[in-house]
Amino acid sequence: MQQFKTLKDLPEQDYFTGGSSACAGCGPSMGLKLALKVLGPETIIVNASGCMTLLPLYPNTPLKASWIHNAIENASSTAAGARHGLDMLGNKDMNVVVYAGDGATYDIGLASLSAVAAKNERIIYICYNNQSFGNTGFQWSTATPYGSETKTTPRGKNNPTGTTAVNKDMVKIMGAHRVYAATASLAYPVDFLNKLSRAKERDGFSYIELLGACTAGWNYDPRLTIRISKLAVRCGMWPMYEIENGILTLNKDFSELKPIDEFLKLQGRYRALPQDGVDRLQVLINEHWAELKEYNGQRYV
Amino acid sequence: MKQTLVTGNEAAAWGARLVRPNYIPTFPITPQTECIETLARWSADGELPGTYFDRMESEHSVMSAAVGAAAVGARVFTASSSQGLLLMHEVLYIAAGMRLPIVMATISRGLSAPVTLWSDHNDFLDQRDSGWLMFHAENNQEVLDMMLQAYRIAEDPRVLLPAMVNMDGYVLSFTDEPITIPSPEMVEEFLPEYNPDHTIAKGRPVTVGPPVLDEYTIFRAQNHVAARNALEVMEEVMDDFDRIFDRRYHLVDEFMLDDAELVLVTQGSMSTTAKAAIMEMREEEGIKVGLLRLRVIRPWPAKAIAEALKGAKAVAVIDRNLAPGRGGIMFPEIVETLYHLDRRPLVSSFVVGLGGNPQTEHKVKEITRKLIDDLETGRPRVEWNDL
């Protein structure tokens, strides 16, 4: 298994080259660029409709690997078909990797993802979570955190909170499928690539959820993508952990979380969240963090 | 080669077995389930070497997985029916647009609401603009034969489009009929290995399904050209099928049309009943009636249909389907096809047999008599025969 210790170990070769149509500072694009360093050119990226669907635009593509875009809700099933097609034709050594947003993962594609994970198909599923339906202009998904404003959960006289639902605990749900499930952050690329490297060697399904900071939707300065990705981890909004065979391992432990306000204040989507909303979000984060600390090293699901 | 009694579902399963697919994604739905259960059993018994039998959580995922496998160059089979076929609808267009020659057996069942398990053709005909090649069988032998032909036509480089082979639920799917199952060697001679050069392969990275800008029209036009090409390819394939298997098929099925003044236009299993009624009417009453069965629905074999109907005085289009607010779905297609003839027959429309309402010889005779009346009054009718 390929192991990386520092940033200097990252492969120089790039399979995501120039000509991408993504925003400056786009987190999900950075994630795919990093992932392809480990996955290499004999990889089929199965994409669910979303921002990343616009990376290739006929007749151009910034990618030096294969790509299938089917629709939004069926990337997992498409990947399963590609996996078995390759296996039956004697191409077992090619990688099949889903790269799908949170709307396509948590919401419309959940049934197909769950079935393919339950069957433990040899697929790596990377969910780039920008906490919204991003490509349509930032609408609510079940990955949107409490208190975030979106275009379909706008703040108003009758609802100062914006998003009142609490986001789904997707990593736990995937962990309960008895597959490898992990979170990752662009602020910790070595950790992300090691997790991918591990997933690549597994004879079964792996789920990696990468926080895909979204400069347009979250409404922040594109220079801040990595800082925000780091603050998300330090503030407990995006804890770094993995679940394998139901056992939880916390990858980044802190004696104390930074207050969530440090993460919120850099982003327009939280700008007008009233203090009681911030307090409530802090409680939710503390509860989740305490749960992870309690089960660290033990059976979690 | 062997003679045996099989249901329509089993005939489709035999077709799938003989074409040696790499991948079969499945989901159960009445009345299709027996087809995939047969394949599951064969797979478990090691009788489908080279095939991975898969089980998905929905028909939408079945067609999505079929697309994934076909995109890497696999030969794919699946089957569906009714609500399941409608759930696939979105991905059917995608499969056709990607030019992936997936073949699917469809087993017609009426659509909800209200729920019916019995057959009519709304599920199948709902897919008629999806870009798939669409065949409709009359009996179980034709189900198997059409499956073999469908792969050969779909995989032809001039075509490269997916194809569905339809049979009527219950009437065929669950009825034993004697059929001839060809030997694997004969099928191998007829249908060689599938070696596409437009799909993903090792050392050949391909982008499948990207967005386009102004080129959209070009891609759509290519789909249309490919579907039109299929008509010519079909005739070649049917000749070759006859050479190897000694069974002759045409773009349309003509029955007693040589001197026919009245013609019934039908689809699917009711054609057999209608043919029996026609023979009786000719023998007992001397009525010059014949039948034209539509066996290729897409692409539309307009020339063959117009040619077959050009001598008729009156035509009854018998639709086992309904477009509410419009009427029978095939009726306007036939009228449009005959519009340019020098001498146009009178064309009446009959909607029959919805939700499995049985189509008896008696009803066929009734329609024929109404057609004689129409010829006398000179006015065509639009009618529901079952109400």
Side-chain angles (χ1 to χ4, degrees):
Chain A
M1 195 172 85
Q2 215 176 350
Q3 274 282 1
F4 308 97
K5 287 209 174 72
T6 72
L7 272 176
K8 285 182 188 158
D9 296 339
L10 299 192
E12 273 184 34
Q13 184 67 41
D14 249 331
Y15 302 99
F16 184 138
T17 62
S20 148
S21 54
C23 306
C26 167
S29 298
M30 293 181 202
L32 185 57
K33 191 181 174 76
L34 280 172
L36 280 171
K37 283 181 177 286
V38 174
L39 298 166
E42 291 298 351
T43 294
I44 301 177
I45 302 150
V46 180
N47 171 242
S49 308
C51 287
M52 294 299 101
T53 306
L54 298 170
L55 290 180
L57 177 59
Y58 179 86
N60 303 308
T61 175
L63 304 168
K64 290 183 173 174
S66 289
W67 176 271
I68 305 175
H69 165 251
N70 192 339
I72 185 168
E73 69 282 55
N74 58 359
S76 305
S77 307
T78 307
R83 177 75 274 159
H84 289 296
L86 290 174
D87 289 353
M88 296 315 291
L89 294 170
N91 294 322
K92 284 183 191 284
D93 52 345
M94 286 179 76
N95 304 308
V96 176
V97 180
V98 174
Y99 205 66
D102 52 287
T105 302
Y106 284 54
D107 294 325
I108 194 167
L110 183 57
S112 105
L113 166 59
S114 173
V116 169
K119 291 191 290 179
N120 201 25
E121 301 285 14
R122 200 159 55 84
I123 291 166
I124 302 172
Y125 191 111
I126 304 172
C127 169
Y128 64 89
N129 182 348
N130 56 21
Q131 305 188 325
S132 66
F133 283 93
N135 192 43
T136 40
F138 204 62
Q139 294 82 22
W140 174 83
S141 83
T142 54
T144 306
Y146 177 88
S148 169
E149 189 168 34
T150 73
K151 297 268 179 64
T152 49
T153 54
R155 286 185 226 292
K157 203 167 54 181
N158 293 332
N159 173 25
T161 311
T163 299
T164 52
V166 176
N167 59 301
K168 224 181 247 180
D169 193 344
M170 192 63 192
V171 179
K172 196 174 183 181
I173 291 169
M174 293 315 295
H177 284 72
R178 294 292 184 271
V179 298
Y180 175 69
T183 59
S185 164
L186 290 168
Y188 300 93
V190 173
D191 170 86
F192 176 42
L193 294 198
N194 280 330
K195 283 171 175 169
L196 264 175
S197 187
R198 181 168 184 182
K200 197 176 153 187
E201 297 307 315
R202 290 186 81 253
D203 186 21
F205 194 86
S206 305
Y207 178 85
I208 298 175
E209 193 166 324
L210 177 74
L211 184 69
C214 172
T215 163
W218 297 7
N219 190 5
Y220 66 81
D221 184 332
R223 287 180 302 138
L224 299 179
T225 295
I226 302 301
R227 194 198 297 180
I228 284 178
S229 300
K230 188 155 202 162
L231 278 170
V233 176
R234 284 299 285 110
C235 299
M237 164 62 88
W238 196 255
M240 300 280 279
Y241 60 105
E242 58 196 341
I243 307 167
E244 189 158 26
N245 300 319
I247 311 292
L248 177 83
T249 307
L250 200 51
N251 304 126
K252 298 274 176 237
D253 199 357
F254 309 106
S255 54
E256 212 171 319
L257 294 177
K258 289 191 173 182
I260 191 60
D261 195 50
E262 290 196 28
F263 173 73
L264 304 186
K265 69 183 180 193
L266 297 175
Q267 303 169 55
R269 62 174 169 159
Y270 293 109
R271 198 152 291 146
L273 179 63
Q275 190 55 45
D276 63 341
V278 176
D279 295 344
R280 165 89 176 121
L281 180 59
Q282 185 69 65
V283 168
L284 289 166
I285 285 168
N286 292 349
E287 282 174 1
H288 188 217
W289 181 250
E291 181 185 306
L292 294 176
K293 294 274 268 188
E294 185 187 344
Y295 286 93
N296 189 13
Q298 299 176 47
R299 174 162 294 285
Y300 182 48
V301 285
Chain B
M1 232 171 35
K2 61 173 182 179
Q3 290 275 342
T4 182
L5 271 178
V6 298
T7 63
N9 278 330
E10 288 168 336
W14 268 106
R17 176 175 170 160
L18 287 166
V19 301
R20 316 170 305 280
N22 304 113
Y23 186 56
I24 306 180
T26 62
F27 187 82
I29 182 170
T30 303
Q32 169 270 125
T33 311
E34 185 196 18
C35 174
I36 60 165
E37 283 179 349
T38 304
L39 289 161
R41 205 171 53 242
W42 285 339
S43 177
D45 287 340
E47 295 188 60
L48 301 176
T51 303
Y52 187 83
F53 180 92
D54 207 353
R55 309 127 193 106
M56 311 308 288
E57 93 301 337
S58 72
E59 289 91 348
H60 195 282
S61 279
V62 164
M63 192 43 63
S64 304
V67 163
V72 300
R75 181 177 278 166
V76 182
F77 170 75
T78 189
S80 193
S81 188
S82 191
Q83 309 298 127
L85 193 51
L86 263 63
L87 187 57
M88 286 181 181
H89 187 69
E90 178 194 27
V91 194
L92 296 182
Y93 279 71
I94 294 169
M98 290 178 177
R99 310 295 295 276
L100 302 174
I102 298 158
V103 173
M104 169 162 61
T106 59
I107 293 88
S108 261
R109 163 182 154 189
L111 296 169
S112 207
V115 177
T116 178
L117 297 178
W118 301 88
S119 186
D120 67 41
H121 304 153
N122 261 96
D123 58 348
F124 177 60
L125 292 176
D126 189 61
Q127 319 312 324
R128 71 191 182 282
D129 302 331
S130 65
W132 282 54
L133 310 174
M134 295 174 68
F135 305 97
H136 197 157
E138 177 180 355
N139 54 49
N140 294 350
Q141 181 73 61
E142 197 181 15
V143 168
L144 192 157
D145 292 352
M146 268 183 171
M147 285 270 307
L148 308 183
Q149 293 171 23
Y151 274 96
R152 175 83 181 268
I153 298 159
E155 292 174 0
D156 190 290
R158 291 165 288 178
V159 180
L160 288 174
L161 288 172
M164 53 184 91
V165 173
N166 193 49
M167 74 178 94
D168 293 353
Y170 287 79
V171 182
L172 291 190
S173 72
F174 294 142
T175 306
D176 274 330
E177 288 186 340
I179 72 165
T180 301
I181 296 173
S183 69
E185 294 74 29
M186 290 165 86
V187 177
E188 256 185 85
E189 188 194 342
F190 176 71
L191 182 74
E193 290 298 310
Y194 172 50
N195 285 314
D197 58 13
H198 69 302
T199 51
I200 298 168
K202 213 169 169 187
R204 187 175 70 200
V206 178
T207 299
V208 181
V212 299
L213 297 174
D214 300 347
E215 302 88 353
Y216 185 75
T217 307
I218 295 170
F219 284 101
R220 294 298 284 165
Q222 284 179 340
N223 260 56
H224 187 56
V225 168
R228 301 304 298 172
N229 287 347
L231 285 171
E232 192 188 319
V233 173
M234 276 175 205
E235 297 201 77
E236 290 172 23
V237 168
M238 286 169 196
D239 284 346
D240 209 39
F241 190 88
D242 186 27
R243 179 180 67 80
I244 296 172
F245 302 98
D246 200 23
R247 279 190 296 282
R248 181 76 233 177
Y249 291 100
H250 300 278
L251 289 175
V252 291
D253 176 19
E254 302 181 26
F255 182 78
M256 294 191 159
L257 285 188
D258 284 347
D259 62 342
E261 293 175 352
L262 313 174
V263 181
L264 311 180
V265 176
T266 61
Q267 236 178 291
S269 63
M270 77 163 105
S271 311
T272 309
T273 311
K275 286 172 181 175
I278 284 170
M279 287 201 285
E280 280 180 26
M281 284 186 286
R282 277 184 172 262
E283 226 164 85
E284 291 163 14
E285 304 170 60
I287 301 172
K288 287 185 178 172
V289 55
L291 178 142
L292 177 76
R293 178 171 66 88
L294 304 172
R295 60 187 303 277
V296 179
I297 306 299
R298 286 291 182 273
W300 184 243
K303 232 187 252 175
I305 292 168
E307 187 63 28
L309 294 179
K310 71 177 182 197
K313 288 184 177 164
V315 171
V317 181
I318 305 180
D319 268 296
R320 191 170 207 160
N321 61 70
L322 176 71
R326 183 69 182 90
I329 293 171
M330 300 320 287
F331 172 64
E333 298 222 6
I334 294 289
V335 171
E336 177 269 340
T337 304
L338 302 181
Y339 185 79
H340 300 285
L341 288 182
D342 293 336
R343 205 168 51 81
R344 290 198 291 263
L346 201 74
V347 190
S348 289
S349 166
F350 296 88
V351 171
V352 306
L354 299 184
N357 206 327
Q359 288 315 292
T360 59
E361 290 183 34
H362 173 76
K363 285 186 184 173
V364 174
K365 290 178 181 176
E366 213 173 74
I367 289 172
T368 308
R369 287 194 190 96
K370 285 177 179 169
L371 206 54
I372 294 171
D373 290 347
D374 294 347
L375 208 48
E376 274 170 21
T377 61
R379 289 169 57 184
R381 75 177 76 204
V382 174
E383 191 169 290
W384 291 51
N385 208 44
D386 294 335
L387 287 179

